[in-house]
Amino acid sequence: MTVLVIGATGKTGRTVVDALTARGVKVAAASRNPAATAAHGVQPVRFDWAERATWAPALQGAEGLYIVGPYAHPTGETLVGELLAEAADTRRVALLSVLGADRLPPEVMMADWERDVRASGKEWTILRPNWFIQNFGEAFATALREHGVLELPAGEAAVSFVDTRDVADVAAAALTEDGHAGHVYDLTGPEALTYRHALAVIGDTAGRELTYRPITHERSAADLRAAGARERSITWQRGLYDLMHEGANAPVSDVVERVTGRPARTLAQYAAESADIWR
């Protein structure tokens, strides 16, 4: 079969491409810059949510579809449903959503995308991951490496951080195996840690002290505005952190182990692999 991976250069898209190719699946790797996805056994495909003319050529022949939705598009709520309406060859769909999607503000588009995937008539699977372990080595890397400090409005809430490679392995299973259609999978790691505890684990591995400083929502919003973030994105972030404060990100699920047959990766494992990032 051929699987079209939308968002193939993103946090989960890269790992989904790897997980599918490891299974011997033909992958069409879609992005606005196809050259960035060129690799052995992968077909680079140009796809842009904002350019409808790129949709049909990218979808042609794709029996499976991994969707990372149009977060940045100003009217992105409807685009996933419109894309699926054009996906005549597609039988299976895996949608990247987020843990607690049904409890977030309407500015967060995932609930709209989930609704349209459910109504698509395809064999769908919805993936609702917790916060990614890889954020520590990507989004937070510069602050930690250069200043040794991470400031977030997360309070002392616990989070069962999940490795993007585990998200990808579940997505690959859902797209290539029977038995996953109609399932909503909450994807977590095997333990719940506060950010303070997580930085202690990473700091031990990297051989340096890393400090977590909780900040207010208001301070976070001001920082985001100063960085040029749109108000919608700021509301989105506030909703995610509100859920965290309510304890919604602390539960641990066994989905990764049930689907893949192995335990979910831990933060300590990722830290050991990536220690040089924070030194």
Side-chain angles (χ1 to χ4, degrees):
M1 70 182 300
T2 297
V3 175
L4 176 66
V5 177
I6 292 177
T9 60
K11 289 181 181 179
T12 63
R14 297 190 303 267
T15 51
V16 170
V17 169
D18 292 341
L20 289 168
T21 54
R23 288 172 172 251
V25 176
K26 184 178 178 181
V27 176
S31 74
R32 287 177 293 179
N33 178 19
T37 63
H40 180 69
V42 175
Q43 176 189 355
V45 174
R46 185 166 187 276
F47 178 89
D48 189 335
W49 284 106
E51 294 185 31
R52 298 294 182 105
T54 66
W55 292 14
L59 288 166
Q60 188 172 5
E63 301 160 81
L65 179 59
Y66 177 75
I67 301 177
V68 177
Y71 301 94
H73 197 285
T75 57
E77 298 92 335
T78 64
L79 294 185
V80 168
E82 291 167 10
L83 178 75
L84 290 170
E86 291 194 23
D89 297 328
T90 301
R91 179 165 59 94
R92 286 181 175 159
V93 176
L95 171 73
L96 182 69
S97 185
V98 66
L99 195 69
D102 51 344
R103 298 169 57 185
L104 291 168
E107 288 83 358
V108 182
M109 305 177 197
M110 274 82 159
D112 299 297
W113 301 340
E114 288 190 7
R115 179 199 63 226
D116 290 340
V117 165
R118 293 171 191 266
S120 67
K122 315 291 187 185
E123 296 178 20
W124 57 264
T125 307
I126 293 170
L127 310 177
R128 289 181 171 179
N130 211 331
W131 290 69
F132 298 144
I133 286 177
Q134 277 72 13
N135 286 340
F136 291 101
E138 297 177 13
F140 306 148
T142 299
L144 290 172
R145 184 173 56 251
E146 296 183 0
H147 307 291
V149 175
L150 178 63
E151 296 182 329
L152 293 173
E156 298 298 336
V159 180
S160 49
F161 299 100
V162 65
D163 195 297
T164 56
R165 293 169 294 182
D166 290 335
V167 176
D169 286 342
V170 173
L175 288 164
T176 60
E177 300 174 1
D178 295 331
H180 303 287
H183 286 268
V184 178
Y185 286 144
D186 289 348
L187 303 178
T188 78
E191 58 187 345
L193 307 171
T194 65
Y195 275 95
R196 195 178 304 280
H197 188 181
L199 289 189
V201 172
I202 292 170
D204 285 345
T205 304
R208 60 179 298 201
E209 183 176 353
L210 299 175
T211 300
Y212 165 65
R213 292 179 187 160
I215 60 175
T216 65
H217 287 303
E218 292 72 23
R219 160 72 188 283
S220 176
D223 289 347
L224 289 169
R225 288 189 186 99
R230 295 175 301 146
E231 288 303 313
R232 180 170 197 157
S233 297
I234 293 169
T235 301
W236 186 320
Q237 288 292 316
R238 173 68 184 257
L240 291 172
Y241 283 113
D242 281 343
L243 273 186
M244 193 182 293
H245 283 279
E246 293 168 10
N249 297 85
V252 171
S253 82
D254 66 347
V255 171
V256 171
E257 185 164 10
R258 282 195 288 115
V259 172
T260 68
R262 56 158 184 80
R265 295 172 174 90
T266 66
L267 175 68
Q269 287 174 301
Y270 173 72
E273 297 166 357
S274 310
D276 285 345
I277 292 174
W278 306 290
R279 288 176 178 149

